[in-house]
């Protein structure tokens, strides 16, 4: 299933994308929200599937209708840095022996087509298209990478926007450059795991002002999805509705020759993960 949330900020309603890839149907008569509680409730998910099969869900007029982030009440956003071989190479970093982890606050998450704000004083705002993993059941001390996949409820396209000067040059942790307002567009859909048989076989692409900047595949990840879930669960408990951003391929602004083409107000970024939907954001000053 492709689950989404539509409507104004703070008043989104749950919806479902039909198999035709065009028609959006209202789920508010079946479930109250798309969140961790729903993803952990197999009976509720089966009710959604049954309603989808019946074909009786009301059709929503999507003309001018905002698409929100496909997941509400996110507990935490765990991110993996330098998780593609080519990205580590382009920024001159060693291949990490273990996943590099950092956190983004859930309030950085916005809709896939919402405006992204360039922070005040920023000169190094950068793009990063990523595969996002959404957890569907509580994971702690997972024993293997194969078992790690069983904790995944679904996947989504994610944009891990970063301010590189604040991330790298200002000392301390990476968090200063990762948690600015609007720095994690998510969606348009949450695609359930049964529709993504191989999360290591997805294309990952991003364009800036129509120019292709990133063109990779999740097969190039240093640590695959199952291993990432296993690894993270050794250090923190993952709960239904938590999100993991699994890293970005080569092609970020930081990896380009000088002068590096960091994002500015007026730029337009488009990105997609194969089968998980496409985002489009215009940038403006905060």
């Amino acid at each position: 299933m492709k689950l989404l949330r539509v409507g104004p900020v703070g008043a989104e309603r749950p919806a479902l994308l039909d198999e035709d890839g065009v028609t959006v149907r209202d789920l508010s008569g079946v479930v109250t929200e798309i969140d961790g509680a729903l993803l952990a409730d197999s009976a509720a998910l089966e009710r959604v599937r049954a309603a989808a099969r019946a074909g009786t869900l009301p059709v929503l007029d999507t003309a001018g209708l905002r698409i929100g982030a496909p997941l509400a009440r996110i507990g935490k956003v765990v991110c993996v840095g330098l998780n593609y071989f080519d990205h580590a190479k382009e920024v001159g970093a060693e291949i990490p022996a273990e996943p590099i982890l950092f956190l983004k606050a859930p309030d950085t998450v916005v809709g896939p087509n919402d405006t992204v704000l360039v922070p005040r004083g920023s000169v190094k705002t950068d793009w990063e298209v990523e595969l996002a993993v959404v957890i569907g059941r509580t994971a702690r001390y997972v024993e293997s990478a194969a078992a790690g996949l069983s904790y995944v409820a679904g996947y989504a396209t994610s944009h891990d926007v970063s301010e590189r000067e604040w991330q790298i040059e200002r000392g301390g942790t990476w968090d200063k450059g990762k948690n600015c307002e609007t720095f994690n567009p998510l969606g348009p859909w949450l695609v359930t795991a049964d529709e993504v048989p191989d999360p290591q076989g997805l294309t990952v692409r991003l364009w800036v002002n129509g120019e292709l900047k990133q063109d990779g595949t999740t097969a190039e990840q240093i640590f695959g999805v199952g291993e990432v879930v296993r690894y993270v669960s050794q250090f923190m408990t993952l709960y239904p509705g938590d999100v993991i951003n699994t890293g970005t391929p080569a092609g970020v602004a930081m990896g380009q020759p000088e002068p590096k083409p960091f994002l500015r107000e007026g730029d337009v970024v488009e990105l997609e993960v194969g089968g998980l939907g496409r985002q489009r954001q215009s940038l403006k000053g905060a």
Side-chain angles (χ1 to χ4, degrees), residues 219-235:
E220 300 162 2
Q221 288 184 338
I222 299 168
F223 306 102
V225 169
E227 172 58 16
V228 165
V229 173
R230 185 207 68 80
Y231 183 85
V232 173
S233 77
Q234 309 305 306
F235 303 96

Side-chain angles (χ1 to χ4, degrees), residues 138 143 198 206 233:
T138 301
E143 293 186 355
D198 181 10
L206 180 144
S233 77

